[in-house]
Amino acid sequence: MSLPVVIINPESAAGATRAAWPRIASELATHFGPFTPKFTTHPGEGTELAATAARKGTKLIIACGGDGTISEVANGILSAGSDAELGIFPSGTGGDFRKTIGIPARGGDAARILREGQTRSIDVGRITFTKDDGEHESRYFLGVASFGMSADVVARVKEGGPDWLPAKGPKWLTGRVSFAAAMLQTALKMEPTRVVVQLDDDPARHLTVANLCIANARYFGGGMKIAPNAKLADGKFDVISIGDLSSARILANAPRLYFGAHLSMAEVGHALAMKIVARAVDKNQRIEIEVDGEIPGQLPATFQILPKGLRVRCPRETV
């Protein structure tokens, strides 16, 4: 039987994973056992490495990095049509998906879950979006896909954060702080997003939103509990729409957004759906999409749920 494969993104956590690898390898060896390491050298390679390992019959493929790395590895497993299991060893800026399934940030604890945890089948999102050249492309997502101010926030974080931070951002700057700082700058400059959205077979609706999230998991944006009721195995997305709020009102309610107390706000809508179709009201307007912390393209897009489409190594007490 082949050893589990660990796919490491050395650039995750602002490059800190590269320096921390000796410690990570030691924790994995001590608390999990033997494994085969594979390092990525460019964006997207995690998907290629995971697909190759899955096709060779590897039963457990572990993502070592942040949400982007986890998403890449999941995409590789799913694209290979494999029943390989996804494992997670967190080492990244975000850490949103691991929070939903209860993976701790401490390396030794995460490694023990990889050894002793329980296999669970979770839902997966599939998005078909529009690329810059007008062609369509599809990919899978585990956490949240969104559009509106979130795409601008992600872009600012990836560029090193708000203008007043150093170009790369200091390594002590946690995911939550960097995302919150980018959210502040975005809120002060944002314009409302006008879209046409259809949920399942319901009539399409014209909406003006600050942000709209299609959530499979509960967290995005460096710890924001955007979909507090989301369940990973209920066969439906939680669709959260945040209305056309002023920047002052967004900033005043930021704590409610971060801690999941925003669903009671009059400007926030919540629905469940298996399929969402979205496009810009103005077909000439570019509205970028954020997917698991990446920006792969723009509207129009279709989001569909794949019930229990992926096997994941989870703590025994989680659902």
Side-chain angles (χ1 to χ4, degrees):
M1 182 181 294
S2 61
L3 289 175
V5 170
V6 179
I7 297 175
I8 307 106
N9 176 6
E11 300 306 319
S12 61
T17 300
R18 183 187 302 279
W21 174 245
R23 173 185 57 79
I24 293 171
S26 176
E27 288 174 329
L28 281 167
T30 301
H31 301 291
F32 171 63
F35 59 91
T36 300
K38 300 283 186 180
F39 291 87
T40 63
T41 59
H42 57 266
E45 191 175 10
T47 298
E48 300 165 13
L49 292 171
T52 298
R55 293 189 184 105
K56 289 181 177 179
T58 304
K59 297 303 182 184
L60 177 61
I61 304 175
I62 299 165
C64 177
D67 291 310
T69 306
I70 294 167
S71 186
E72 283 193 10
V73 172
N75 268 268
I77 293 171
L78 291 161
S79 65
S82 167
D83 66 351
E85 187 177 351
L86 170 69
I88 296 169
F89 190 96
S91 179
T93 303
D96 290 317
F97 182 70
R98 71 162 180 82
K99 292 174 186 172
T100 295
I101 63 174
I103 300 290
R106 286 171 55 94
D109 295 337
R112 276 188 288 269
I113 288 169
L114 289 171
R115 186 185 65 206
E116 303 168 357
Q118 183 171 353
T119 302
R120 299 183 183 273
S121 294
I122 68 165
D123 300 337
V124 174
R126 186 174 186 268
I127 175 175
T128 301
F129 56 90
T130 307
K131 299 191 296 181
D132 289 343
D133 59 8
E135 296 295 319
H136 293 156
E137 186 173 301
S138 296
R139 60 166 288 178
Y140 302 97
F141 65 98
L142 301 183
V144 177
S146 66
F147 51 85
M149 65 182 294
S150 56
D152 187 73
V153 170
V154 167
R156 292 182 189 277
V157 170
K158 289 187 174 300
E159 290 168 1
D163 297 341
W164 39 267
L165 288 176
K168 287 290 184 181
K171 292 182 179 178
W172 54 262
L173 197 61
T174 66
R176 177 170 291 188
V177 172
S178 60
F179 275 98
M183 180 180 172
L184 169 63
Q185 191 176 46
T186 297
L188 294 173
K189 297 181 178 181
M190 74 170 193
E191 296 181 359
T193 302
R194 299 174 62 239
V195 291
V196 179
V197 178
Q198 182 180 13
L199 306 185
D200 292 331
D201 295 324
D202 293 346
R205 299 175 57 196
H206 283 65
L207 301 175
T208 301
V209 297
N211 211 72
L212 191 141
C213 296
I214 296 96
N216 185 44
R218 294 174 191 152
Y219 297 91
F220 89 144
M224 182 184 293
K225 199 173 186 180
I226 193 65
N229 300 328
K231 297 178 178 63
L232 284 171
D234 64 350
K236 293 184 178 180
F237 292 119
D238 282 54
V239 183
I240 312 295
S241 59
I242 300 174
D244 184 16
L245 301 177
S246 67
S247 57
R249 186 152 170 75
I250 288 175
L251 295 174
N253 285 279
R256 296 178 70 177
L257 290 168
Y258 265 95
F259 295 108
H262 55 286
L263 296 186
S264 61
M265 294 174 60
E267 301 91 343
V268 176
H270 176 220
L272 299 176
M274 298 178 66
K275 180 180 178 180
I276 300 95
V277 179
R279 62 175 174 84
V281 170
D282 179 358
K283 66 179 182 180
N284 295 316
Q285 182 183 11
R286 176 183 175 86
I287 298 178
E288 293 184 323
I289 305 165
E290 173 271 329
V291 183
D292 280 349
E294 305 293 332
I295 303 176
Q298 58 187 297
L299 297 182
T302 300
F303 310 80
Q304 293 175 284
I305 198 86
L306 303 180
K308 298 186 177 180
L310 181 68
R311 288 155 36 89
V312 180
R313 186 70 54 92
C314 300
R316 289 193 170 272
E317 65 273 13
T318 63
V319 177

